[in-house]
């Protein structure tokens, strides 16, 4: 059943290209809205009380038997605990193989002149400073709304997004979970339609 926006305990618009983080307590729900469509939302998850326990893409993929993240997916931690469960998804599938963009990946993929462009890793490092975490805590992430089809030969592509304006994902915390987002600033591939746009973050107590 659709949730009542007026009952949300948090409801903020996050500009394109910036980091965001919040602890979602056990039982609370987080909705991420792709306001204009075709925006990649690079997201990391941690045990809020012990950051060494974090989202594990390989455990999540193995346990659900699928490489895509959608309704019903249990986001598993490196200790095999469920951090969050995906409860709604109006888009269809989300990537957890592609990782997040960085000065290094921009340089290798797009050329030396792209090295200094703003990246998800810059956003994450900024947040790591705020949260007194360690850069080593930055591991695999989910790219909500990012379209990464896997071809027959196993090749990963990054293609035009399929999310429409207003598409959203919703997830419920099964344990107190620190959610760390980079609203991706990438301009060199179609993950954001070459035009990064804002997102809306909404939290409910249930
Ligand atoms: Zn990025």
């Amino acid at each position: 059943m659709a949730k009542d926006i007026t009952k949300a305990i948090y409801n903020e618009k996050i500009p394109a290209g910036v980091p965001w983080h919040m602890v979602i307590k056990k039982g609370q729900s987080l909705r991420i809205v792709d306001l204009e469509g075709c925006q990649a939302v690079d997201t990391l998850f941690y045990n809020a009380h012990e950051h060494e326990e974090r989202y594990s893409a390989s455990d999540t993929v193995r346990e659900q038997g699928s490489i895509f993240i959608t309704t019903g997916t249990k986001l598993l931690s490196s200790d095999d605990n469920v951090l969050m469960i995906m409860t709604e998804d109006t888009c269809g599938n989300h990537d957890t193989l592609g990782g997040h963009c960085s000065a290094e990946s921009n340089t290798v993929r797009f050329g030396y002149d792209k090295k200094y462009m703003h990246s998800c890793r810059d956003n994450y490092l900024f947040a790591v400073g705020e949260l007194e975490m360690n850069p080593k805590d930055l591991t695999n992430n989910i790219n909500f709304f990012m379209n990464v089809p896997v071809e027959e030969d196993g090749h990963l592509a990054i293609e035009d997004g399929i999310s429409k304006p207003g598409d959203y994902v919703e997830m419920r915390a099964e344990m107190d979970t620190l959610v760390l987002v980079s609203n991706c600033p990438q301009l060199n591939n179609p993950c954001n339609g070459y035009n990064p746009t804002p997102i809306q973050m909404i939290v409910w107590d249930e």
Side-chain angles (χ1 to χ4, degrees):
M1 201 175 70
K3 286 188 157 48
D4 182 350
I5 297 283
T6 64
K7 297 214 166 90
I9 59 164
Y10 178 93
N11 188 355
E12 293 287 334
K13 187 174 182 175
I14 311 303
V18 305
W20 175 91
H21 53 81
M22 185 170 180
V23 171
I24 308 299
K25 296 207 181 92
K26 182 178 179 180
Q28 292 183 333
S29 292
L30 167 67
R31 180 186 292 182
I32 304 175
V33 186
D34 186 355
L35 291 169
E36 298 182 27
C38 297
Q39 172 63 21
V41 183
D42 295 48
T43 308
L44 291 159
F45 305 85
Y46 302 87
N47 175 340
H49 309 291
E50 177 51 75
H51 295 153
E52 285 196 2
E53 182 179 10
R54 64 191 67 144
Y55 171 69
S56 167
S58 54
D59 291 298
T60 299
V61 165
R62 183 197 66 233
E63 284 306 306
Q64 72 169 3
S66 166
I67 53 173
F68 296 118
I69 307 295
T70 186
T71 309
T73 296
K74 292 176 177 156
L75 308 183
L76 292 186
S77 77
S78 46
D79 291 352
D80 255 351
N81 295 312
V82 180
L83 291 155
M84 303 185 95
I85 294 180
M86 299 283 297
T87 51
E88 294 248 25
D89 174 15
T90 68
C91 174
N93 72 46
H94 307 272
D95 165 68
T96 194
L97 302 175
H100 56 269
C101 62
S102 63
E104 292 80 4
S105 67
N106 279 336
T107 306
V108 168
R109 301 186 66 192
F110 309 114
Y112 284 111
D113 59 325
K114 305 296 192 288
K115 180 174 180 181
Y116 300 102
M117 292 179 75
H118 191 54
S119 70
C120 283
R121 186 161 177 87
D122 295 335
N123 280 338
Y124 283 151
L125 288 171
F126 182 83
V128 157
E130 286 186 334
L131 293 161
E132 297 185 358
M133 291 168 67
N134 188 314
K136 287 181 181 167
D137 293 327
L138 301 176
T139 60
N140 11 107
N141 60 284
I142 293 177
N143 296 306
F144 288 115
F145 311 110
M146 187 160 121
N147 185 18
V148 183
V150 179
E151 295 167 2
E152 266 184 42
D153 63 359
H155 177 76
L156 292 183
I158 296 179
E159 300 206 339
D160 292 346
I162 54 173
S163 55
K164 306 174 297 297
D167 268 344
Y168 65 86
V169 288
E170 213 167 276
M171 58 212 88
R172 185 181 68 239
E174 297 297 297
M175 55 196 276
D176 294 352
T177 301
L178 168 64
V179 180
L180 172 51
V181 161
S182 167
N183 192 18
C184 184
Q186 181 60 256
L187 291 168
N188 299 299
N189 74 35
C191 70
N192 298 320
Y194 302 100
N195 176 33
T197 49
I199 53 176
Q200 193 84 18
M201 306 301 253
I202 310 171
V203 178
W204 285 269
D205 248 339
E206 54 185 351

